[in-house]
């Protein structure tokens, strides 16, 4: 599995640091935010997308989550989802689409949205459970194409406190 980690020149002189780790596990894993108390609603989130460097080079990320529990993720006051797929460079050429899969996973006690797709292609969300999320469990924008959402369970979804 290839991945990139390091500082990038995005043309804004901020030089954000990207970090990635790849692991293959044979059991369920939990990705959970570390909240400091009952009033803390600033949970974590996973961002998957593309980055355009100031020189024009493009890196396109992808993710495959199978049997993952996302616990207390999302940022309540900021409309961040537990998992966000954000792409700006994808074209209609399906041979260049990244593979993004969420299968057999659970989103529990989220601080906000479950999954947000912005400009993605071919995202696949199947056999997953969304429990105690806010707003939409899954949001697919008009710039995303060929999304597959099948056999998911939604229970205890709440209206977002920011709307």
């Amino acid at each position: 599995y290839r991945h990139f980690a390091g500082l990038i020149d995005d043309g804004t002189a901020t030089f954000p640091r990207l970090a990635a780790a790849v692991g293959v596990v044979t059991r369920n894993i939990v990705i959970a935010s570390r909240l400091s108390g009952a009033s803390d609603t600033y949970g974590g989130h996973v961002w998957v997308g593309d980055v355009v460097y100031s020189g024009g080079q493009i890196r396109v990320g992808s993710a495959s989550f199978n049997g993952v529990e996302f616990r207390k993720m999302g940022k309540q006051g900021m409309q961040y989802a537990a998992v966000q797929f954000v792409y700006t460079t994808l074209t209609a050429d399906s041979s260049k689409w990244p593979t993004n899969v969420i299968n057999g996973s659970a989103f529990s006690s989220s601080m906000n949205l479950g999954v947000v797709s912005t400009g993605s292609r071919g995202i696949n969300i199947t056999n997953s459970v969304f429990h105690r999320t806010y707003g939409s469990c899954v949001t697919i924008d008009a710039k995303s194409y060929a999304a597959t959402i099948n056999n998911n369970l939604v229970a205890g979804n709440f209206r977002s406190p920011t709307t």
Side-chain angles (χ1 to χ4, degrees), residues 17-143:
R17 178 179 300 278
L18 297 183
V22 176
V24 178
V25 295
T26 58
R27 61 182 174 81
N28 289 356
I29 63 169
V30 175
I31 299 175
S33 64
R34 176 181 253 166
L35 301 177
S36 61
S39 63
D40 186 359
T41 60
Y42 194 80
H45 72 277
V46 176
W47 185 90
V48 180
D50 51 14
V51 174
V52 180
Y53 294 87
S54 61
Q57 182 185 15
I58 300 170
R59 289 198 184 262
V60 177
S62 65
S64 180
F65 300 107
N66 291 289
V68 176
E69 180 184 353
F70 298 91
R71 187 183 302 156
K72 296 182 180 176
M73 299 290 284
K75 293 173 175 36
Q76 193 170 70
M78 300 176 71
Q79 296 298 315
Y80 280 98
V83 178
Q84 292 187 214
F85 296 98
V86 181
Y87 293 95
T88 59
T89 63
L90 301 182
T91 66
D93 182 358
S94 61
S95 69
K96 296 185 180 183
W97 293 354
T99 301
N100 287 310
V101 175
I102 298 174
N103 180 58
S105 295
F107 295 80
S108 62
S109 300
S110 293
M111 301 291 118
N112 214 312
L113 310 164
V115 177
V116 170
S117 169
T118 304
S120 71
R121 308 290 192 266
I123 189 172
N124 186 320
I125 305 169
T126 55
N127 303 315
S128 295
V129 175
F130 296 86
H131 179 252
R132 294 186 52 88
T133 57
Y134 286 87
S136 298
C137 294
V138 177
T139 300
I140 309 290
D141 79 340
K143 295 178 184 175

